[in-house]
């Protein structure tokens, strides 16, 4: 008796696709959650970059030509020069400088309100931690991509601002000197370092306060406080240059000011009661001090990049400390 034929084996079910790893999933969620902020930031960067390109190119050339025509005019005679080009270059330089200077404050406010504050306030962060994303990975994902975007965009704007200033230096009579506070902080390395400090300070404020609006204010205030402290400390973080001038000449040397005063008999320094020996009463006060000369400590133009490097190094150190503090705080609260 023959055996009944056996049924062929059922085909194996197709293997289920592997779940996406944590990093890509976090990246997609981060981009979707902050898409409006990303679009607004991209628009801001593009508009500011275009304005700086126009400022350093055609607008500065027109203003330089107008100033050349103005200097060619004889004193007391009426002459024609393009005053509108001069005013337009001056106004746009001021606006673009303020735009670059607001970047660290904007980054800090956004990081405190939206990056960490809103998610901790709404409970979205804890929901993600229960779905296989560790708190450390959650925070790392929220800092890594914004740090990359902030660094690239701010570096672009700072480089364009430096280039636009260089295009007008020596050609436009109303151009700001390099040691002007706004000009100094809008170019070079400091805007990038300040923006990264703002990112870390805002993220820490969001975790610490757990509410978006208070964290927004705290992040921006922290950056403003650090910026003010750096402004007062930076001239003393690099050796300055000293110039000595006679009493009839007054203090000499132009650059980033550090301190000035008078030299008395014996070479000791003292505060200057006045800086113009020809002014009424000034000569007598200097003689009572037994002053022999004026002195001035300052940073010349050659110190621009050393000051930028020192300031950026200090800010990056503060950024690292704020980042470590944010991770420690998160670990302690989610232990």
């Amino acid at each position: 008796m023959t055996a009944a034929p056996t049924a062929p084996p059922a085909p194996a079910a197709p293997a289920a696709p592997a779940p996406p790893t944590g990093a890509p999933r976090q990246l997609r969620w981060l981009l979707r959650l902050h898409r409006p902020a990303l679009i607004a930031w991209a628009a801001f960067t593009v508009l500011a970059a275009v304005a700086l390109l126009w400022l350093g190119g055609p607008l500065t050339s027109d203003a330089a030509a107008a100033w050349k025509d103005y200097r060619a005019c004889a004193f007391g005679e009426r002459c024609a020069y393009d005053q509108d080009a001069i005013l337009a270059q001056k106004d746009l330089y001021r606006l673009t400088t303020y735009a670059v200077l607001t970047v660290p404050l904007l980054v800090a406010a956004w990081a405190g309100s939206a990056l960490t504050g809103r998610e901790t306030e709404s409970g979205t962060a804890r929901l993600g931690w229960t779905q296989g994303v560790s708190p450390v990975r959650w925070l790392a994902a929220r800092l890594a991509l914004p740090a990359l975007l902030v660094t690239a965009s701010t570096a672009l704007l700072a480089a364009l601002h430096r280039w636009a200033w260089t295009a007008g230096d020596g050609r436009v009579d109303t151009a700001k000197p390099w040691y002007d506070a706004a000009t100094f902080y809008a170019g070079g390395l400091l805007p990038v370092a300040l923006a990264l400090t703002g990112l870390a300070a805002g993220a820490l404020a969001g975790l610490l306060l757990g509410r978006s609006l208070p964290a927004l204010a705290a992040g921006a205030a922290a950056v403003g406080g650090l910026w003010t402290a750096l402004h007062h400390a930076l001239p003393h973080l690099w050796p300055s240059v000293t110039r000595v001038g006679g009493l009839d000449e007054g203090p000499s040397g132009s650059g980033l000011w550090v301190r000035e005063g008078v030299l008395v008999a014996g070479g000791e320094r003292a505060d200057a009661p006045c800086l113009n020996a020809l002014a009424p009463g000034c000569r007598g006060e200097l003689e009572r001090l037994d002053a022999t000369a004026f002195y001035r400590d300052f940073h010349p133009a050659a110190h621009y990049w050393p000051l930028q490097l020192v300031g950026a190094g200090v800010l990056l150190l503060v950024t690292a400390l704020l980042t470590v503090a944010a991770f420690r705080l998160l670990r302690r609260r989610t232990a």
Side-chain angles (χ1 to χ4, degrees):
M1 185 173 180
T2 59
T6 59
T21 60
R25 183 173 57 189
Q26 282 289 300
L27 181 60
R28 289 195 299 268
W29 168 252
L30 191 64
L31 291 175
R32 183 168 62 250
L33 182 64
H34 299 286
R35 184 179 302 169
L38 182 62
I39 295 174
W41 182 256
F44 170 81
T45 303
V46 171
L47 289 176
V50 170
L52 286 167
L53 287 171
W54 183 38
L55 172 66
L59 201 55
T60 295
S61 298
D62 294 343
W67 276 112
K68 184 178 180 181
D69 294 339
Y70 176 80
R71 288 190 293 267
C73 296
F75 180 76
E77 294 184 3
R78 298 186 63 182
C79 59
Y81 64 96
D82 192 354
Q83 185 179 19
D84 292 338
I86 294 175
L87 296 177
Q89 191 271 346
K90 182 179 178 180
D91 291 342
L92 187 60
Y93 180 83
R94 183 176 64 254
L95 291 175
T96 52
T97 300
Y98 290 158
V100 177
L101 292 177
T102 57
V103 166
L105 299 175
L106 293 175
V107 171
W110 171 79
S113 63
L115 189 62
T116 57
R118 185 174 64 186
E119 290 199 53
T120 54
E121 182 179 15
S122 63
T124 308
R126 291 192 175 275
L127 179 62
W129 301 338
T130 61
Q131 295 179 352
V133 179
S134 67
V136 172
R137 182 179 295 178
W138 173 86
L139 181 57
R142 271 145 187 79
L143 290 178
L145 181 60
L148 180 62
L149 295 177
V150 165
T151 300
S153 57
T154 311
L156 173 64
L157 295 181
L160 289 176
H161 186 278
R162 177 70 179 174
W163 168 77
W165 174 84
T166 304
D169 185 38
R171 300 172 60 202
V172 177
D173 290 10
T174 53
K176 297 291 185 180
W178 70 270
Y179 52 85
D180 173 72
T183 298
F184 180 79
Y185 285 105
L189 304 174
L190 288 177
V192 182
L194 279 167
L196 291 175
T197 304
L199 178 65
L204 177 59
L207 293 174
L208 186 63
L209 300 177
R211 297 175 60 190
S212 57
L213 289 180
L216 182 152
V223 172
L226 289 172
W227 200 339
T228 302
L230 176 69
H231 177 71
H232 288 91
L234 185 58
H236 306 280
L237 299 180
W238 189 261
S240 59
V241 172
T242 302
R243 292 282 177 84
V244 177
L247 294 179
D248 294 333
E249 302 170 4
S252 61
S254 63
L256 185 62
W257 183 89
V258 179
R259 67 178 67 86
E260 61 187 7
V262 293
L263 298 177
V264 299
E268 297 179 356
R269 294 185 171 193
D271 294 335
C274 53
L275 298 176
N276 185 5
L278 301 179
C282 184
R283 174 69 68 173
E285 295 184 17
L286 293 174
E287 290 177 353
R288 282 192 293 271
L289 280 176
D290 199 13
T292 59
F294 287 104
Y295 78 91
R296 173 175 289 166
D297 296 338
F298 68 99
H299 293 284
H303 289 189
Y304 176 82
W305 286 112
L307 290 170
Q308 289 278 333
L309 286 169
V310 170
V314 171
L315 289 171
L316 291 178
L317 176 61
V318 173
T319 302
L321 294 176
L322 292 174
T323 304
V324 171
F327 277 100
R328 285 180 176 268
L329 176 65
L330 186 63
R331 283 180 176 178
R332 186 169 67 248
R333 289 189 174 181
T334 59

